[in-house]
Amino acid sequence: MTTTAPPPPVSHVPPPIPHTPTPQPAAPPPVWSSGILPPVAAGVATLCAATSLTGVVSGWAWFGYLFVAVILIASTGLALRSLRAPTVLVGLGQLLVLLFLVTGAFTTQGILKIIPGPMAFSELQATLAASAEQIRTGLPPVEGTQPILCLVTIAIGLVAVLVDTLAVAAAAPAATGLVLLCVYAVPAALSDEMLPWWTFLLGAAAFACLLALDGNHRHRRWRNREAPGSGGRARALQAPVAVVSAAIVLGLLGGGITWVGTVGKIPFGAGSGAGGDGSGGFGVAPFTQLRGLLDQGENTELFQVRGLGNDRRYLRAFTLDTYTPNQGWGLRGGGQAQTGVLANSTLPAAPGDDGTGVSRQIQIQPTRWVDNWLPVYGAPRALRGLSPQWLYDRVSGAVFTTKSEPAPTYTEVASLKEPTAAELRATDPKSDEVPAFYSQIGRVDPRVVAKTNQLIAGKTDNFDKATALWQFFSAQNGFVYDTKTADATDADALADFILNGKRGYCEQYASAMAVMLRVAHIPARVAIGFTPGVPKGDYQSISTQDAHAWVEAYFGDKGWVSFDPTPLADGRGIVPSYLQQNNQNSQQPDATDDLPTAPRSNAPTTQSPLDKGQNEATPTTTATAESQDGWLAILAAVLAVLGAAAVVTAYVLRRRPPAPGAAAPGLPPGVVPDGDVLVRAPAPAAARTSQVALWLPLTGGVLLVAALGFLAGLVAWWFAVIVVLLLVGLGGPAAVRDFTRRRRLQAIVTHAPGSADAAWRELKAECADRGLPLTGSDTVRVAGQKIAERHHLDDSGRDSLRTVIGAVERTWYSGATTADPDLAPAFDRLRHSLRTTAPLSWRGRLFPKSILRRHS
């Protein structure tokens, strides 16, 4: 009998993957322009250089805007380069994002808040014009007003785009040094004091890191190719040489336009209101505007006055004599027409001072006043304690110098005599005795002329005409006081304020009344100075909160007489005796008047920012806004703490030994070593720990994004939406990929049912993220060969890949239900091999193809 040998048992162990001893080429280094480190380093270098602005801009609000701008610019460049967009399109995209940010942050007329339109561009133009005027007349460090913030954001944003282009796209980060040096040149030229040492340290460290990254990148590239100058193509050297040459030209040009050497001045400060010596004093701008917003920052004492007694008088710094439609009042010829005599002496009699008034000696001690102007009271007769540089102009009534400088303590001998209402009615106007430019008015909207004529109709003398105009600007006639003018509804700013908006502060009221006085053929000018201040000990304290504007009209022998159309809410305003007398004797207006004049009271509805020296809303609105901001900040802090705690807890759980219920290598599921004894861990506890470890990172990320969103909401709701969308767009795909990866790895480590399927899906995702998509037509072994060859796996990786493939095939083809105990350690070794021989690029980390292609 013939015995047939039984067939050999079927082995499910796959044959070894052929290992051809091919040379292992070095993994291609990440492309410089596609990595995340270069744009991050470029952005950090820009921000570190921007810290030099602390010498010329006060506060730190500007740095928050710059931080957001640099993040948006770097993120835009990274996203567009990951899509392999041309360099030109990347730069244009970054400029467009910067424009969106500036439109949303500094305008109110943008389409969907961030898209600029004609109205938004006009608003930006006005904002930049205001910043130029503040620079022209301010002293470093200037206050961080909205116009200054806008200008700084645009300037440093453009620098960030240029630095990003040079460092990343042109791969010439060394050339950015000249650009960053120009950023330091501006504040160094403008500040009289040395810039803080730490800003240079930060800039040098950031630039060194940028160069170090570039050097490391080039070292890795040159290991496998010709070094520059060793016979390579000349064209390869032409681009860096051209970039560096252009950077040198831009650096030299930038140094030329930063006005190096103008110590103590702000650019465009050659006029009379320019600059100072940089000692940090406060200068009032010699102009008023019909539209705009003034913000003088925190309250600072400027003068200590002794000798006034109980008299309450305005302290006049200078007067403005020229009106420009739709712009406001300024100095004739920019102040260059000012002439005068030595101020430190007996002065020529001021207009209206006949010598009969009692002389009052007033000591004025400047504390932080640095300007071209020296404030005086009433009609000055003599000044003492001044250097020869100070001059007195009898026509304008101003004491000035050609160069801003700290003022010494000085004594003024002045007449504070006030005329009566009867004297002002009876006096001869003598308008021809003052220069003609005090009566010239130029083009005025016909509606303003008509309203002026209506208000002065029936008045037979200049005083009653001026009083009628003064009474017109009252709450009874619809005028309110606010931190800014109403939204423009008319092409003519003056007519819009008088007839439509009726909302503003002392600049608007003084400007409007002075124009109407000249329309009524009464010489007028706008005075800039300070209200009486508050008593402190033996002196009167005058601070930035007391900055104010009012009107002076000429009355022949009585000289220049003050009219303040802006009553102050806190009792600092002054109603002179001649206007109080006139109010008591005034007649009720005719019933035919459509907008009657009314006796003035000293109680406006809200306050003026020029009067207060800072932007203020009504107390209720301010308290509500501050309360909302406080709750948003608290909520953001709580979410940030919870998010950080979640991330840290997840990290700790990852670093712990295998969770209860997880199988150690080579042990059955649920069995773990306890010393020398094997015990079965409680499965429910293991499941709970695994679920917590799985969801904590994602929960922490969501909480942190929400915290940043609430912080951005302190600026504006649209800004919060932009920040959240940007963070979700940049981090969302990576977060989903991380969650999916950890869920699969958890199934593999715990030997859960389907662990082999999870391992194969994760391996395919790892390959897809590295640019090797495995199609559904590939068998497991064909796919394994592709993985081994394309990713240049080492021996350990190939052995681990065979183990993984064997576990997958046993699960798919033999119906095995018991998890392979060697799968988890083999898969961990395979992932380690992939990280070594085929490192994942930052593009693959941020925008994993395994996620994006699955959802595309």
Side-chain angles (χ1 to χ4, degrees):
M1 185 175 79
T2 304
T3 303
T4 305
V10 178
S11 176
H12 295 285
V13 178
I17 296 174
H19 187 174
T20 305
T22 56
Q24 298 290 330
V31 180
W32 173 258
S33 61
S34 64
I36 194 173
L37 289 181
V40 168
V44 170
T46 302
L47 288 175
C48 290
T51 58
S52 61
L53 295 177
T54 54
V56 290
V57 182
S58 63
W60 280 96
W62 54 272
F63 191 79
Y65 286 90
L66 299 190
F67 184 77
V68 173
V70 170
I71 287 181
L72 291 177
I73 289 169
S75 302
T76 302
L78 182 64
L80 292 178
R81 292 186 186 103
S82 68
L83 300 176
R84 302 190 182 279
T87 300
V88 174
L89 290 183
V90 173
L92 291 177
Q94 291 173 322
L95 293 175
L96 188 62
V97 168
L98 177 62
L99 179 60
F100 287 165
L101 172 65
V102 171
T103 302
F106 301 105
T107 70
T108 59
Q109 304 294 330
I111 303 170
L112 299 179
K113 294 293 185 181
I114 63 172
I115 302 176
M119 294 294 292
F121 277 118
S122 299
E123 199 170 349
L124 276 179
Q125 183 179 4
T127 301
L128 292 177
S131 68
E133 189 63 32
Q134 184 176 351
I135 289 175
R136 185 181 73 84
T137 59
L139 297 170
V142 296
E143 295 293 339
T145 61
Q146 285 293 97
I148 292 296
L149 293 178
C150 179
L151 179 64
V152 168
T153 303
I154 293 175
I156 301 301
L158 294 176
V159 170
V161 173
L162 181 57
V163 170
D164 185 83
T165 302
L166 290 174
V168 183
T176 63
L178 294 173
V179 180
L180 299 175
L181 187 60
C182 291
V183 177
Y184 281 95
V186 174
L190 302 180
S191 179
D192 188 45
E193 300 179 355
M194 289 289 294
L195 296 180
W197 61 268
W198 54 264
T199 183
F200 292 102
L201 182 61
L202 283 178
F207 184 59
C209 291
L210 192 59
L211 294 181
L213 286 175
D214 179 47
N216 181 56
H217 154 71
R218 295 185 185 280
H219 172 69
R220 286 184 288 131
R221 293 181 62 192
W222 292 343
R223 285 184 302 178
N224 299 304
R225 71 170 190 178
E226 297 175 349
S230 60
R233 291 180 301 171
R235 184 177 179 182
L237 294 178
Q238 291 174 358
V241 170
V243 169
V244 173
S245 301
I248 292 175
V249 173
L250 289 174
L252 294 176
L253 179 61
I257 62 176
T258 55
W259 296 273
V260 175
T262 56
V263 175
K265 294 184 179 180
I266 297 292
F268 316 109
S272 60
D277 68 351
S279 61
F282 172 84
V284 179
F287 71 103
T288 62
Q289 292 180 326
L290 292 176
R291 288 192 179 117
L293 182 63
L294 181 66
D295 182 3
Q296 294 171 350
E298 62 183 13
N299 186 34
T300 302
E301 185 181 70
L302 302 178
F303 302 97
Q304 296 179 5
V305 179
R306 295 173 175 85
L308 271 178
N310 295 326
D311 282 338
R312 291 173 50 79
R313 300 300 174 99
Y314 287 141
L315 180 61
R316 182 180 64 249
F318 49 85
T319 58
L320 309 178
D321 51 36
T322 302
Y323 171 72
T324 303
N326 278 334
Q327 294 186 18
W329 287 79
L331 287 168
R332 185 169 45 92
Q336 299 300 321
Q338 292 271 132
T339 60
V341 299
L342 290 178
N344 192 31
S345 61
T346 301
L347 305 177
D353 183 12
D354 57 6
T356 59
V358 177
S359 293
R360 181 76 62 85
Q361 290 196 18
I362 307 168
Q363 184 191 70
I364 304 173
Q365 179 182 347
T367 54
R368 289 196 64 194
W369 177 260
V370 181
D371 209 333
N372 294 75
W373 316 94
L374 202 61
V376 294
Y377 286 99
R381 293 176 174 174
L383 290 170
R384 300 168 188 156
L386 298 179
S387 60
Q389 287 84 358
W390 292 99
L391 305 175
Y392 171 69
D393 182 11
R394 178 181 181 274
V395 176
S396 66
V399 179
F400 67 97
T401 183
T402 55
K403 178 183 178 182
S404 296
E405 58 183 69
T409 300
Y410 57 101
T411 300
E412 178 192 2
V413 179
S415 170
L416 304 182
K417 181 181 179 182
E418 283 187 346
T420 64
E423 291 173 340
L424 291 173
R425 287 193 181 93
T427 190
D428 185 351
K430 297 182 180 180
S431 300
D432 56 345
E433 289 186 354
V434 294
F437 53 78
Y438 283 117
S439 300
Q440 295 170 354
I441 190 54
R443 180 182 62 84
V444 178
D445 191 286
R447 293 169 294 174
V448 175
V449 176
K451 173 54 65 178
T452 302
N453 292 333
Q454 174 194 349
L455 293 172
I456 65 175
K459 306 300 186 294
T460 58
D461 59 82
N462 282 357
F463 177 68
D464 284 339
K465 293 178 182 179
T467 303
L469 297 176
W470 174 73
Q471 291 175 333
F472 169 65
F473 297 100
S474 63
Q476 290 88 342
N477 287 330
F479 287 91
V480 295
Y481 303 85
D482 203 349
T483 58
K484 61 181 179 181
T485 55
D487 293 337
T489 59
D490 198 293
D492 186 89
L494 178 64
D496 192 29
F497 172 74
I498 293 175
L499 304 175
N500 302 322
K502 298 184 178 182
R503 180 182 296 272
Y505 46 99
C506 62
E507 283 191 298
Q508 281 72 43
Y509 287 96
S511 298
M513 182 177 175
V515 170
M516 298 178 82
L517 283 170
R518 289 194 181 183
V519 170
H521 306 292
I522 302 174
R525 63 191 186 188
V526 173
I528 302 292
F530 302 91
T531 56
V534 296
K536 286 186 178 180
D538 64 339
Y539 65 89
Q540 199 78 5
S541 175
I542 297 177
S543 66
T544 53
Q545 284 189 345
D546 298 302
H548 192 48
W550 63 95
V551 179
E552 292 182 348
Y554 188 73
F555 284 87
D557 293 338
K558 302 305 176 184
W560 292 98
V561 178
S562 296
F563 291 83
D564 186 1
T566 311
L568 302 180
D570 54 6
R572 293 181 298 116
I574 299 174
V575 178
S577 58
Y578 46 85
L579 289 176
Q580 295 175 6
Q581 299 166 5
N582 198 66
N583 267 342
Q584 296 170 0
N585 299 328
S586 62
Q587 300 296 323
Q588 292 298 324
D590 297 335
T592 58
D593 289 349
D594 60 342
L595 269 179
T597 60
R600 290 291 298 270
S601 66
N602 200 26
T605 56
T606 60
Q607 296 180 10
S608 151
L610 179 57
D611 304 327
K612 287 295 294 177
Q614 53 191 336
N615 296 334
E616 294 183 5
T618 59
T620 302
T621 303
T622 303
T624 303
E626 291 179 352
S627 176
Q628 292 175 350
D629 290 349
W631 280 111
L632 283 178
I634 293 174
L635 183 58
V638 171
L639 292 177
V641 171
L642 292 177
V647 173
V648 171
T649 303
Y651 178 83
V652 172
L653 290 177
R654 285 187 184 183
R655 294 296 182 269
R656 287 178 59 184
L667 296 179
V671 178
V672 296
D674 184 8
D676 296 330
V677 181
L678 299 180
V679 298
R680 182 170 297 276
R688 287 194 297 269
T689 303
S690 300
Q691 289 300 316
V692 170
L694 178 64
W695 286 96
L696 269 180
L698 184 61
T699 303
V702 171
L703 291 175
L704 290 175
V705 170
L708 291 175
F710 281 114
L711 284 178
L714 296 175
V715 178
W717 67 266
W718 56 263
F719 183 61
V721 172
I722 292 176
V723 169
V724 171
L725 291 179
L726 180 63
L727 293 175
V728 171
L730 288 177
V736 174
R737 177 71 182 94
D738 179 71
F739 177 79
T740 305
R741 179 189 299 111
R742 287 185 293 103
R743 186 179 61 181
R744 291 168 179 166
L745 294 178
Q746 187 180 53
I748 297 171
V749 171
T750 59
H751 300 280
S755 58
D757 290 338
W760 187 246
R761 288 193 299 270
E762 178 58 24
L763 182 58
K764 292 178 64 176
E766 292 279 0
C767 294
D769 294 342
R770 289 168 168 80
L772 178 62
L774 301 177
T775 63
S777 60
D778 292 336
T779 64
V780 176
R781 298 190 181 187
V782 171
Q785 291 178 353
K786 288 183 178 180
I787 294 171
E789 293 174 1
R790 289 284 299 275
H791 294 318
H792 311 289
L793 292 181
D794 53 22
D795 292 339
S796 174
R798 289 173 181 266
D799 292 340
S800 300
L801 180 59
R802 294 188 193 99
T803 303
V804 173
I805 290 177
V808 172
E809 287 186 332
R810 280 192 296 273
T811 301
W812 287 2
Y813 304 128
S814 68
T817 57
T818 302
D820 188 344
D822 295 330
L823 176 62
F827 194 81
D828 184 66
R829 291 193 300 270
L830 177 58
R831 292 181 65 233
H832 177 74
S833 179
L834 284 173
R835 288 194 297 267
T836 302
T837 61
L840 192 61
S841 67
W842 279 104
R843 184 188 304 160
R845 296 174 187 273
L846 288 177
F847 306 104
K849 295 180 181 179
S850 60
I851 297 297
L852 298 179
R853 288 182 175 178
R854 186 174 64 186
H855 295 284
S856 61

